[in-house]
Amino acid sequence: MTMFNVLTVTACIFIAAHILLLSGFFSRKKLITSRYAYAHFALWSAGLVAVLLASCFATTGQNVFVAFFNTPLKRTSIIFITFGLSIFEHAMVRWVILTSIRKS
């Protein structure tokens, strides 16, 4: 496997872990904080791997999607997107899921 493939698979694994942890962070109407924290860790790890992938391979022409992130500003946007997604998910958990758990 090439480094491009290794980084791509690693980012996909972190995204899958994030989704699995996020979908299972509450049990019996109770928040499991460790899973919630690990879900955020997985999301941020996926974002950092994506930045590394874009930094190493944006100018090589191996992939059209990765080639879009050919400037430092575009690579930085990956971090901002990750941060925005993290804030959005935190807000959804706090205002929607925890509110519904407390009501029932």
Side-chain angles (χ1 to χ4, degrees), residues 36 88-100 102:
Y36 184 64
F88 175 75
E89 289 176 353
H90 183 70
M92 292 301 294
V93 166
R94 182 177 223 185
W95 294 324
V96 176
I97 296 173
L98 289 180
T99 304
S100 66
R102 288 182 189 135

Side-chain angles (χ1 to χ4, degrees), residues 56-103:
C56 292
F57 297 101
T59 58
T60 62
Q62 278 188 298
N63 186 291
V64 176
F65 180 74
V66 176
F68 173 77
F69 299 99
N70 58 356
T71 64
L73 182 62
K74 289 179 182 177
R75 286 190 287 272
T76 305
S77 71
I78 297 171
I79 295 296
F80 288 122
I81 291 168
T82 304
F83 180 72
L85 186 59
S86 182
I87 293 296
F88 175 75
E89 289 176 353
H90 183 70
M92 292 301 294
V93 166
R94 182 177 223 185
W95 294 324
V96 176
I97 296 173
L98 289 180
T99 304
S100 66
I101 288 174
R102 288 182 189 135
K103 285 183 180 179

